[in-house]
Amino acid sequence: MIFCYNCGTALSEKSYCTSCGVSVKKYKKIIYMSNKIYNRGLEKAQIRDLTGAVEDLRQSLMCYKRNTQARNLLGLVYFEMGETINAMAEWVISQHYQSERNMAIDYIQTLQSNPTLLDSLNSTIKKYNSALNLCKQGSLDMAKITLKKVVSNNPKLINAHLLLALILMQEEDYQSAKKELILVRRLDKGNITAALYIRMADENLNTDSKKSKKKGENAITT
C-alpha cells in the first residue's frame, strides 16, 4: 500500500490523493521504479550475488529513500558481507522512517541483545581499517598479520579477504591468494574484483609452472 507524501492517507488508483487532492502521479512512478529495482536486488541476493544486490538496492533507495524493504535488505546483505556497522546504519535509518511493523527493529534488537558478538564484529572492522592504513604506510607484513586475525574472527568480511589476497599476490604467494579469493566467490558470486584477482593469480601460477617445467627439461638435457 502506498501512502500520500503530503497527508499520509492511503492512495487509491487515482492520480491524486482523495484526501488532500495533491497530485501523486509522478510519486507513484518513483515508488514503482524503486520497487522494481528492489525486486531485482532481491533476486541477486537470493543467488548470493551480493555485490550486484548492493548496487541495485542503493539505486532503489536513490529513487525512493523511504523504501524500507530495500533498506532492510541492504542491511542484511551488508551483514552477510561482514559489514556490521553499515548494516546497523541502514536498519537505524529504516526504523526512523517506519517505527512500527518493521523487521529492522528485530534485526537491531537481535544484535544488541548479544553485545559480545556485536563488539567482536565491530572490532574486526576497526582492525581491517587499521590494516588498510598499514598498507598505505608500506607495512605489508603487519597488515597481513592483522588481516589473518580479522578473517579468522569475521570470515564473512569480504574486503578483508580481498586485501589479504592482494598482499599475498604482492609477495608472489599466488596459491594462498587464490584460496582467499575462492572464499570470496563462495560468499559473493558477483564479486568482480575477486574474479579479476583470480585471473591474475592463475596467470602467474601458469607462468611459474611453465618456468619450472622448462628448468626441469634443461636439467635433463644437461
Side-chain angles (χ1 to χ4, degrees), residues 87-196:
M88 284 288 284
E90 294 300 332
W91 294 332
V92 168
I93 295 170
S94 175
Q95 184 181 17
H96 171 73
Y97 287 134
Q98 185 182 334
S99 59
E100 295 179 357
R101 297 181 182 180
N102 188 344
M103 287 300 297
I105 299 168
D106 295 330
Y107 301 149
I108 293 169
Q109 288 176 348
T110 299
L111 276 178
Q112 289 180 338
S113 66
N114 193 341
T116 304
L117 173 63
L118 186 58
D119 288 345
S120 174
L121 293 173
N122 288 343
S123 174
T124 58
I125 294 169
K126 289 177 182 177
K127 286 178 181 176
Y128 163 74
N129 289 330
S130 173
L132 195 58
N133 288 329
L134 286 168
C135 288
K136 291 175 182 177
Q137 295 165 12
S139 303
L140 298 185
D141 287 340
M142 288 299 297
K144 183 171 73 171
I145 292 168
T146 303
L147 288 167
K148 283 185 175 181
K149 290 178 181 177
V150 169
V151 296
S152 175
N153 294 327
N154 188 356
K156 289 184 177 181
L157 189 50
I158 288 172
N159 285 335
H161 285 290
L162 289 173
L163 185 56
L164 178 56
L166 196 58
I167 293 171
L168 290 168
M169 285 197 290
Q170 179 72 21
E171 296 176 345
E172 299 185 0
D173 187 357
Y174 300 109
Q175 198 66 53
S176 297
K178 189 174 177 180
K179 287 179 181 178
E180 295 297 326
L181 297 168
I182 289 170
L183 285 173
V184 172
R185 293 286 281 177
R186 285 177 185 165
L187 292 167
D188 178 13
K189 292 181 180 179
N191 197 295
I192 297 171
T193 304
L196 175 62

Side-chain angles (χ1 to χ4, degrees), residues 1-132:
M1 186 174 289
I2 302 174
F3 297 91
C4 178
Y5 63 87
N6 187 51
C7 68
T9 301
L11 296 176
S12 65
E13 73 283 355
K14 298 184 183 298
S15 60
Y16 59 88
C17 175
T18 55
S19 177
C20 68
V22 70
S23 175
V24 292
K25 188 175 181 180
K26 289 182 179 178
Y27 178 64
K28 281 184 174 181
K29 282 184 179 179
I30 290 169
I31 293 178
Y32 171 78
M33 183 58 67
S34 177
N35 287 334
K36 185 178 180 181
I37 300 170
Y38 157 75
N39 287 327
R40 192 171 68 198
L42 176 61
E43 289 174 0
K44 289 181 180 179
Q46 288 171 336
I47 60 170
R48 294 204 70 83
D49 178 3
L50 303 185
T51 299
V54 167
E55 290 173 359
D56 283 342
L57 293 168
R58 282 178 175 169
Q59 189 178 348
S60 172
L61 291 169
M62 284 178 68
C63 291
Y64 183 56
K65 65 181 180 180
R66 291 176 177 268
N67 189 335
T68 52
Q69 272 191 312
R71 201 171 287 281
N72 290 347
L73 181 57
L74 179 57
L76 286 173
V77 173
Y78 277 142
F79 189 76
E80 274 301 299
M81 297 173 83
E83 298 181 20
T84 319
I85 294 173
N86 286 339
M88 284 288 284
E90 294 300 332
W91 294 332
V92 168
I93 295 170
S94 175
Q95 184 181 17
H96 171 73
Y97 287 134
Q98 185 182 334
S99 59
E100 295 179 357
R101 297 181 182 180
N102 188 344
M103 287 300 297
I105 299 168
D106 295 330
Y107 301 149
I108 293 169
Q109 288 176 348
T110 299
L111 276 178
Q112 289 180 338
S113 66
N114 193 341
T116 304
L117 173 63
L118 186 58
D119 288 345
S120 174
L121 293 173
N122 288 343
S123 174
T124 58
I125 294 169
K126 289 177 182 177
K127 286 178 181 176
Y128 163 74
N129 289 330
S130 173
L132 195 58

